[in-house]
Amino acid sequence: MAADNNHIETSQRFAPPATRRDFLGLAATWSAIVAFVMAMLGALRLPMPSVFPESNSRVKLGRPDRFALGSATYFSKLRLWLFRDEAGFKAISSVCTHLGCVAERGVDGQYLCPCHGSKFDEIGAVKGGPAPKGLVWVDLSLSPEGWIVADTLSDVDPKTVLQA
Ligand code: FES
């Protein structure tokens, strides 16, 4: 007993597109709907920042006992000098305030920017060159676990010292 395919009823509601033109029209419509929904999801995400600068600016440098009295330690990734003396800890950014090159610290404790020749004294004040302002001293604090934490986006007075 062979099935008679001519009498199989198909639902008009779920019928496949009749022609290639119908199929392409349907595909274009769904593509537009999906693109619109994705664009709306992206637009909803715009007000939310991808990066939270405040949370990313605080970096642990190490425990205080890691740094000897009288030491000057350079953190190349942070481009930051950390000093320890009798008063405590201080940290200065070596990023030149002219166009952001890294200023090098000489044996005399002064800084020289290799890009356009800005010079800074031991406390980061401008001594020459195109730099509009001195090097930036960053805020130091102690984490609850006792680590020295530098806030790399801060700008504090050069006399600011962390006692630890
Ligand atoms: S970037 Fe330092 S002097 Fe220009």
Side-chain angles (χ1 to χ4, degrees):
M1 204 162 121
D4 187 359
N5 288 337
N6 292 334
H7 291 88
I8 297 175
E9 289 189 24
T10 56
S11 166
Q12 290 298 315
R13 200 167 160 196
F14 299 107
T19 64
R20 193 166 77 173
R21 178 174 294 187
D22 291 340
F23 172 76
L24 292 175
L26 208 58
T29 301
W30 277 107
S31 296
I33 290 170
V34 169
F36 178 76
V37 168
M38 296 304 284
M40 286 300 104
L41 289 175
L44 288 175
R45 202 179 170 286
L46 279 179
M48 294 181 274
S50 302
V51 175
F52 296 97
E54 287 166 356
S55 61
N56 288 340
S57 68
R58 295 176 56 80
V59 184
K60 288 181 181 175
L61 301 180
R63 294 188 180 281
D65 56 9
R66 182 185 150 202
F67 307 99
L69 199 63
S71 65
T73 309
Y74 189 61
F75 295 84
S76 57
K77 284 186 182 169
L78 301 174
R79 295 173 290 184
L80 190 81
W81 281 97
L82 177 71
F83 304 103
R84 182 177 195 182
D85 60 20
E86 297 80 18
F89 291 90
K90 299 191 325 183
I92 188 171
S93 169
S94 63
V95 176
C96 178
T97 53
H98 178 223
L99 291 176
C101 289
V102 175
E104 294 161 2
R105 183 170 182 264
V107 290
D108 57 356
Q110 301 195 14
Y111 303 84
L112 175 66
C113 180
C115 292
H116 310 101
S118 286
K119 293 178 185 170
F120 307 89
D121 66 13
E122 300 86 4
I123 62 164
V126 179
K127 283 185 66 185
K133 60 179 240 175
L135 297 177
V136 173
W137 290 88
V138 303
D139 185 44
L140 297 176
S141 58
L142 277 182
S143 73
E145 304 85 32
W147 288 64
I148 298 172
V149 176
D151 185 347
T152 56
L153 292 182
S154 62
D155 184 353
V156 298
D157 187 274
K159 296 185 186 102
T160 306
V161 172
L162 170 70
Q163 294 174 336

